[in-house]
Amino acid sequence: MRQQSLFSELASPQRPGPSSSMTGLNSSQLEAVTTTQGSVLVIAGAGSGKTRTLVHRMAYLVEQGVAPDSILLLTFTRKAAQEMLSRAALLMDGSCGGVMGGTFHGMANLLLRRFGRYTGYPANFTILDRSDSEGIINLLKSSLGLSGGGRRFPSKRVIINMISGAVNKNIDFSDYLEERYFHLVEFSADINSIREHYGNFKRDHALMDYDDLLVNFRDLLRDHPEARTEISDRFHYVMVDEYQDTNRIQAEIVALVSSSHKNVMVVGDDAQSIYSFRGADFKNIMDFPDLFPGTRIVRLEENYRSAQPILEATNAIISQAAEKYAKTLFSNIPGADKPSLFRARDEQEQARYVVDKIETFQGEGVPLAEMAVLFRSGFHSYKLELELANHQIPFEKRGGMKLTESAHVKDVICYLRIISNPADHLSWNRILLQIDKVGPKTAEKMLAAIRGAETPLQALDGYKGGKVWQPGLDRLVKALHGLARLERPGAQLEQVLDYYRPIFERIYQDDYPSRSRDLDQLGELLAGYDNLQDFIDDTALDPPQEAALQNPDADRLILSTVHSAKGLEWNKVFVLNLVEGKFPSGQAQLPEEREEERRLLYVAATRAREHLFFIAPRLTAGPDRMPQTAMVSEFISALAPELLAGPARRQPLPPWPETPASTASMAGKPPSASVDIAECTTGRPVRHSFFGEGKVIKVTLPKTVEVFFPRHGLKKLHLDYAKLEVL
C-alpha cells in the first residue's frame, strides 16, 4: 500500500485534512517547516515549540524525496540531537534514520578523522579534556622553567582560560591578553611561549582539545576547496539549533558547510543569548540576515509552557532590550496568578520564605521535582541550602563535576586511550606515574624510550627499571599484552580494572570505597558501545554527569544557576537575590554586559509554567561582609506595578540592630548616578560599590573608563551603569 503523504493534504482543501503527524502545528511553525530553499532564520521564543519545528522539518524534507543522509542537524548537546532524530524517525516510520545529527564538536571530530589527509593529523588523534590540557600546561611550565617558587606566574587554569578565550572570541591572543588580563601583561612573552609550545605539543602527539576541533574543522572547510565542496554537496540541507549560542568560528562553519547551496535554517532566540563567557556571540543571530542576503525570518510567538500572566511579565522584561528581534509571546494556557515580588528583610528571611512556600506546595501534592530555585551565581544559594537541610527537604544542586572528570575515572580511561592511540604520551605519563616508587623524572625517561621505539610495548618489554619499581613495571607490561589480545570494549575494561584496582586502593586509600561506584558506572556506560573509539570520543565530547547516572527518578527540589537551567521548565520557579549587584551581577558594567544580564533574567522567568516568584532582599552582605541596603534589580523595578502581585515595592526598610560597624557601612555619601567623564582623569582615585577603591588607568570617550582595583584587577566600566564615586 502506498504510504500516505504527510503534507500533500495541506495543498488540497478538498481532501479530509492534514495527516495526524501535522496536528498541532501552528501557522508559523508550518511556515518554517515547509520553507526548504534558501536561508531561513526562525526566531523561536521561549516554549514556542522549536524542537517540534525542527523535527517536522526533517520529516517534511524526507517526505519530499530528500535523501536523509544529505540532511545535517547541528545542536549543542548530543542528547538534543538524539531526541530530535528519534522523533523524526517516528514520524516517518524510520525513514529519517539516516539524517546526520550531532554537536558541532562531534561533527568536527567525525569529519576531521575522515579528511585527515588535509589536516596533517592521523585519523586516530586523541581528544583532550580540560584537565588534560591543564596537565600539559603544567609540564610545559616546568620544562620552560616558569614554575619556580616566588613567581606570581599565572596558574595552569588561568593560562588555559587565556588560550581558549582568545580562540572562542576570535581575538588575537596578544590583544586578548591586554584586554582581559591587564594585570598579567608583564608575563606576556612567557605566556605566549607556553601557548606556542602547547600547540606544538598537541600537533607532535596527535592531540586536539575542544577548541582545536572547531578551529581545525573551520580551517579544513576554509582552506581546502576540495574538502569544502565534498562536504557541502553531501549535506544539502543544514539545520542549526540554538544558533544564538554559536561563537564566531561556529558561525563560519555553518556558512562554509552550506556554501554550495545556501539551504540553511537556523533556529534560536536572541533573548536567550546568555553564554558570552563561553565565547557565544550575540551578534551572530542578529547578523544572520546580512551573512545570508534574502533570509526569510519566521517568528514563533505562541508559548506552550507558561500561563499568560507570566508571559506578560517576561515580555515586559525583554521589551526594554537595546537590540532585539521584536516578538510578543502569548499563551492559551489558563492561569490567573501574576508573578509575585517578595521583598525579604535579608537573605535569611529569603531562605525561610522559599522553604515555607515549598512546604505549602508539598502539602498540596506538588512533587519537589516540579519546583526549582534559580540564582545568578552558585554561592547565592548557600543560606537556602542550610535552611533546606534543617527542614530535611532533599535537593539537587545543578552543576558540579562530571563523572569522567574525577581523577580515578580518568585513570582508567587513560588505559583505554592508549589502546586507541599509542602516541598519546599524556596518557602514558599518567599511567607510568601510577607505578609505585616511579616519579616524574623516571617516567620521563621511560617516555623517551617509548618515543624512540616502533611500539610502546617493544620499548617497555626490555626496559631495565630500578630494583624497587621493576616489579610494578613488569605487571603493567603483562597487563598491556593482555589488553592487546582483546577486541571487545567491555572485556578491555575488565582487564584494565583487574590491573588497576590495587593501584586505585593505594592511591585513594582514604575514600576508595565511595569512589568504587564510579568505576561500576563506567562499566555500565561502556556496555552500550561496540567500538572503543566511539566511547573515548563521547566521554571527551559529552561527558555524562554522575548525578544523572544515579537515581534520575528521585523526588528532589532543584537548585540551579540560571545558565544550567536553560532549556528546562518547572511548575513553580523561585528566582533569588533580584537586587543590584547580585542580579544583575556587580561584575556587569558595560552596556552589552547589562543587556546579557537582562536576557539571563528573561531565561529564568520563562522556566515557570504556573507560578513565578521574584525575591529581593532589602539587606545583603556587602564586599566587607557587613549589611548594606540593597536596591531592587532595575529589570524588576522597571516593570509596571500591575504585572506583579505582592506588596508594594517601596516600603520603609525594616529596622536593623545598629552597631558601629553596620552604621559605618551604610553611612556616607551615596555615589552619583553618573559621574562626569571630565572628572575621571587618568590616575584619579575612585570608589565602586562592588569593587571598592581603585585608580583610573584609561579614559575612552564618550563614557567608558578602565579602572584598576587591587582586589579585582582591571575593569572596563561604563559611567551610566557603574555609579562610580570620584574620591
Side-chain angles (χ1 to χ4, degrees), residues 2-21:
R2 184 177 66 86
Q3 182 180 357
Q4 185 179 14
S5 168
L6 291 177
F7 301 92
S8 57
E9 304 289 357
L10 296 175
S12 178
Q14 292 83 14
R15 295 182 181 180
S19 68
S20 59
S21 64

PDB file of all heavy atoms in Angstrom, residues 2-21:
ATOM      1  N   ARG A   2       0.583   2.230  -0.821  1.00  0.00           N
ATOM      2  CA  ARG A   2       1.382   3.436  -0.928  1.00  0.00           C
ATOM      3  C   ARG A   2       1.277   4.232   0.370  1.00  0.00           C
ATOM      4  O   ARG A   2       0.206   4.418   0.921  1.00  0.00           O
ATOM      5  CB  ARG A   2       0.893   4.290  -2.103  1.00  0.00           C
ATOM      6  CG  ARG A   2       1.763   5.519  -2.330  1.00  0.00           C
ATOM      7  CD  ARG A   2       1.269   6.279  -3.554  1.00  0.00           C
ATOM      8  NE  ARG A   2      -0.066   6.836  -3.323  1.00  0.00           N
ATOM      9  CZ  ARG A   2      -0.263   8.021  -2.738  1.00  0.00           C
ATOM     10  NH1 ARG A   2       0.758   8.728  -2.303  1.00  0.00           N
ATOM     11  NH2 ARG A   2      -1.489   8.498  -2.560  1.00  0.00           N
ATOM     12  N   GLN A   3       2.475   4.693   0.839  1.00  0.00           N
ATOM     13  CA  GLN A   3       2.487   5.496   2.062  1.00  0.00           C
ATOM     14  C   GLN A   3       1.797   6.828   1.809  1.00  0.00           C
ATOM     15  O   GLN A   3       2.069   7.512   0.848  1.00  0.00           O
ATOM     16  CB  GLN A   3       3.933   5.743   2.509  1.00  0.00           C
ATOM     17  CG  GLN A   3       4.013   6.523   3.800  1.00  0.00           C
ATOM     18  CD  GLN A   3       5.458   6.750   4.208  1.00  0.00           C
ATOM     19  OE1 GLN A   3       6.362   6.285   3.554  1.00  0.00           O
ATOM     20  NE2 GLN A   3       5.638   7.472   5.292  1.00  0.00           N
ATOM     21  N   GLN A   4       0.898   7.217   2.696  1.00  0.00           N
ATOM     22  CA  GLN A   4       0.179   8.479   2.539  1.00  0.00           C
ATOM     23  C   GLN A   4       1.104   9.649   2.802  1.00  0.00           C
ATOM     24  O   GLN A   4       1.901   9.639   3.723  1.00  0.00           O
ATOM     25  CB  GLN A   4      -0.997   8.546   3.524  1.00  0.00           C
ATOM     26  CG  GLN A   4      -1.870   9.783   3.326  1.00  0.00           C
ATOM     27  CD  GLN A   4      -3.026   9.796   4.292  1.00  0.00           C
ATOM     28  OE1 GLN A   4      -3.036   9.053   5.248  1.00  0.00           O
ATOM     29  NE2 GLN A   4      -3.996  10.647   4.033  1.00  0.00           N
ATOM     30  N   SER A   5       1.048  10.680   1.950  1.00  0.00           N
ATOM     31  CA  SER A   5       1.874  11.873   2.112  1.00  0.00           C
ATOM     32  C   SER A   5       1.537  12.570   3.418  1.00  0.00           C
ATOM     33  O   SER A   5       0.377  12.698   3.792  1.00  0.00           O
ATOM     34  CB  SER A   5       1.649  12.831   0.940  1.00  0.00           C
ATOM     35  OG  SER A   5       2.220  14.083   1.228  1.00  0.00           O
ATOM     36  N   LEU A   6       2.571  13.029   4.090  1.00  0.00           N
ATOM     37  CA  LEU A   6       2.365  13.748   5.341  1.00  0.00           C
ATOM     38  C   LEU A   6       1.863  15.163   5.115  1.00  0.00           C
ATOM     39  O   LEU A   6       1.240  15.758   5.969  1.00  0.00           O
ATOM     40  CB  LEU A   6       3.678  13.814   6.126  1.00  0.00           C
ATOM     41  CG  LEU A   6       4.202  12.506   6.718  1.00  0.00           C
ATOM     42  CD1 LEU A   6       5.538  12.774   7.375  1.00  0.00           C
ATOM     43  CD2 LEU A   6       3.229  11.927   7.701  1.00  0.00           C
ATOM     44  N   PHE A   7       2.184  15.728   3.941  1.00  0.00           N
ATOM     45  CA  PHE A   7       1.959  17.144   3.763  1.00  0.00           C
ATOM     46  C   PHE A   7       1.080  17.492   2.559  1.00  0.00           C
ATOM     47  O   PHE A   7       0.626  18.615   2.444  1.00  0.00           O
ATOM     48  CB  PHE A   7       3.307  17.872   3.598  1.00  0.00           C
ATOM     49  CG  PHE A   7       4.208  17.668   4.775  1.00  0.00           C
ATOM     50  CD1 PHE A   7       5.123  16.629   4.783  1.00  0.00           C
ATOM     51  CD2 PHE A   7       4.138  18.495   5.878  1.00  0.00           C
ATOM     52  CE1 PHE A   7       5.964  16.437   5.867  1.00  0.00           C
ATOM     53  CE2 PHE A   7       4.967  18.316   6.959  1.00  0.00           C
ATOM     54  CZ  PHE A   7       5.877  17.264   6.946  1.00  0.00           C
ATOM     55  N   SER A   8       0.867  16.560   1.669  1.00  0.00           N
ATOM     56  CA  SER A   8       0.117  16.888   0.464  1.00  0.00           C
ATOM     57  C   SER A   8      -1.307  17.310   0.775  1.00  0.00           C
ATOM     58  O   SER A   8      -1.920  18.068   0.029  1.00  0.00           O
ATOM     59  CB  SER A   8       0.121  15.687  -0.489  1.00  0.00           C
ATOM     60  OG  SER A   8      -0.426  14.546   0.156  1.00  0.00           O
ATOM     61  N   GLU A   9      -1.860  16.843   1.897  1.00  0.00           N
ATOM     62  CA  GLU A   9      -3.223  17.197   2.266  1.00  0.00           C
ATOM     63  C   GLU A   9      -3.378  18.711   2.432  1.00  0.00           C
ATOM     64  O   GLU A   9      -4.442  19.275   2.175  1.00  0.00           O
ATOM     65  CB  GLU A   9      -3.599  16.512   3.589  1.00  0.00           C
ATOM     66  CG  GLU A   9      -3.439  14.984   3.584  1.00  0.00           C
ATOM     67  CD  GLU A   9      -4.488  14.293   2.736  1.00  0.00           C
ATOM     68  OE1 GLU A   9      -5.359  14.986   2.208  1.00  0.00           O
ATOM     69  OE2 GLU A   9      -4.424  13.066   2.597  1.00  0.00           O
ATOM     70  N   LEU A  10      -2.287  19.377   2.877  1.00  0.00           N
ATOM     71  CA  LEU A  10      -2.369  20.810   3.140  1.00  0.00           C
ATOM     72  C   LEU A  10      -2.604  21.604   1.868  1.00  0.00           C
ATOM     73  O   LEU A  10      -3.147  22.698   1.898  1.00  0.00           O
ATOM     74  CB  LEU A  10      -1.085  21.294   3.823  1.00  0.00           C
ATOM     75  CG  LEU A  10      -0.819  20.691   5.205  1.00  0.00           C
ATOM     76  CD1 LEU A  10       0.525  21.149   5.716  1.00  0.00           C
ATOM     77  CD2 LEU A  10      -1.911  21.125   6.166  1.00  0.00           C
ATOM     78  N   ALA A  11      -2.164  21.056   0.745  1.00  0.00           N
ATOM     79  CA  ALA A  11      -2.274  21.795  -0.511  1.00  0.00           C
ATOM     80  C   ALA A  11      -3.598  21.528  -1.216  1.00  0.00           C
ATOM     81  O   ALA A  11      -3.884  22.115  -2.246  1.00  0.00           O
ATOM     82  CB  ALA A  11      -1.114  21.423  -1.434  1.00  0.00           C
ATOM     83  N   SER A  12      -4.411  20.655  -0.686  1.00  0.00           N
ATOM     84  CA  SER A  12      -5.645  20.288  -1.374  1.00  0.00           C
ATOM     85  C   SER A  12      -6.823  20.360  -0.412  1.00  0.00           C
ATOM     86  O   SER A  12      -7.095  19.425   0.336  1.00  0.00           O
ATOM     87  CB  SER A  12      -5.511  18.856  -1.935  1.00  0.00           C
ATOM     88  OG  SER A  12      -6.714  18.471  -2.556  1.00  0.00           O
ATOM     89  N   PRO A  13      -7.546  21.473  -0.371  1.00  0.00           N
ATOM     90  CA  PRO A  13      -8.631  21.659   0.597  1.00  0.00           C
ATOM     91  C   PRO A  13      -9.783  20.679   0.407  1.00  0.00           C
ATOM     92  O   PRO A  13     -10.590  20.505   1.299  1.00  0.00           O
ATOM     93  CB  PRO A  13      -9.080  23.102   0.354  1.00  0.00           C
ATOM     94  CG  PRO A  13      -8.562  23.454  -0.999  1.00  0.00           C
ATOM     95  CD  PRO A  13      -7.354  22.644  -1.239  1.00  0.00           C
ATOM     96  N   GLN A  14      -9.866  20.026  -0.783  1.00  0.00           N
ATOM     97  CA  GLN A  14     -10.970  19.091  -0.999  1.00  0.00           C
ATOM     98  C   GLN A  14     -10.783  17.789  -0.217  1.00  0.00           C
ATOM     99  O   GLN A  14     -11.712  17.043  -0.016  1.00  0.00           O
ATOM    100  CB  GLN A  14     -11.101  18.747  -2.496  1.00  0.00           C
ATOM    101  CG  GLN A  14     -11.573  19.923  -3.358  1.00  0.00           C
ATOM    102  CD  GLN A  14     -10.427  20.850  -3.738  1.00  0.00           C
ATOM    103  OE1 GLN A  14      -9.260  20.495  -3.578  1.00  0.00           O
ATOM    104  NE2 GLN A  14     -10.739  22.041  -4.223  1.00  0.00           N
ATOM    105  N   ARG A  15      -9.529  17.566   0.232  1.00  0.00           N
ATOM    106  CA  ARG A  15      -9.246  16.319   0.932  1.00  0.00           C
ATOM    107  C   ARG A  15      -9.614  16.449   2.414  1.00  0.00           C
ATOM    108  O   ARG A  15      -9.833  17.547   2.909  1.00  0.00           O
ATOM    109  CB  ARG A  15      -7.767  15.957   0.767  1.00  0.00           C
ATOM    110  CG  ARG A  15      -7.443  15.652  -0.709  1.00  0.00           C
ATOM    111  CD  ARG A  15      -6.001  15.236  -0.883  1.00  0.00           C
ATOM    112  NE  ARG A  15      -5.707  14.969  -2.289  1.00  0.00           N
ATOM    113  CZ  ARG A  15      -4.527  14.592  -2.731  1.00  0.00           C
ATOM    114  NH1 ARG A  15      -3.526  14.444  -1.876  1.00  0.00           N
ATOM    115  NH2 ARG A  15      -4.338  14.360  -4.011  1.00  0.00           N
ATOM    116  N   PRO A  16      -9.622  15.358   3.137  1.00  0.00           N
ATOM    117  CA  PRO A  16     -10.107  15.383   4.517  1.00  0.00           C
ATOM    118  C   PRO A  16      -9.349  16.300   5.454  1.00  0.00           C
ATOM    119  O   PRO A  16      -9.892  16.737   6.446  1.00  0.00           O
ATOM    120  CB  PRO A  16      -9.953  13.909   4.960  1.00  0.00           C
ATOM    121  CG  PRO A  16      -9.914  13.125   3.703  1.00  0.00           C
ATOM    122  CD  PRO A  16      -9.305  13.986   2.677  1.00  0.00           C
ATOM    123  N   GLY A  17      -8.101  16.629   5.190  1.00  0.00           N
ATOM    124  CA  GLY A  17      -7.349  17.485   6.114  1.00  0.00           C
ATOM    125  C   GLY A  17      -5.952  16.950   6.311  1.00  0.00           C
ATOM    126  O   GLY A  17      -5.577  15.933   5.734  1.00  0.00           O
ATOM    127  N   PRO A  18      -5.140  17.641   7.097  1.00  0.00           N
ATOM    128  CA  PRO A  18      -3.751  17.239   7.276  1.00  0.00           C
ATOM    129  C   PRO A  18      -3.648  15.908   8.006  1.00  0.00           C
ATOM    130  O   PRO A  18      -4.536  15.516   8.749  1.00  0.00           O
ATOM    131  CB  PRO A  18      -3.158  18.371   8.115  1.00  0.00           C
ATOM    132  CG  PRO A  18      -4.327  18.983   8.805  1.00  0.00           C
ATOM    133  CD  PRO A  18      -5.476  18.835   7.881  1.00  0.00           C
ATOM    134  N   SER A  19      -2.536  15.208   7.758  1.00  0.00           N
ATOM    135  CA  SER A  19      -2.325  13.929   8.428  1.00  0.00           C
ATOM    136  C   SER A  19      -2.136  14.169   9.920  1.00  0.00           C
ATOM    137  O   SER A  19      -1.833  15.265  10.361  1.00  0.00           O
ATOM    138  CB  SER A  19      -1.085  13.233   7.857  1.00  0.00           C
ATOM    139  OG  SER A  19       0.074  13.949   8.212  1.00  0.00           O
ATOM    140  N   SER A  20      -2.276  13.111  10.698  1.00  0.00           N
ATOM    141  CA  SER A  20      -2.204  13.255  12.148  1.00  0.00           C
ATOM    142  C   SER A  20      -0.837  13.737  12.606  1.00  0.00           C
ATOM    143  O   SER A  20      -0.716  14.377  13.655  1.00  0.00           O
ATOM    144  CB  SER A  20      -2.523  11.912  12.819  1.00  0.00           C
ATOM    145  OG  SER A  20      -1.600  10.910  12.398  1.00  0.00           O
ATOM    146  N   SER A  21       0.210  13.442  11.841  1.00  0.00           N
ATOM    147  CA  SER A  21       1.542  13.863  12.249  1.00  0.00           C
ATOM    148  C   SER A  21       1.721  15.372  12.200  1.00  0.00           C
ATOM    149  O   SER A  21       2.660  15.905  12.778  1.00  0.00           O
ATOM    150  CB  SER A  21       2.612  13.205  11.361  1.00  0.00           C
ATOM    151  OG  SER A  21       2.470  13.652  10.027  1.00  0.00           O
TER     152      SER A  21
END
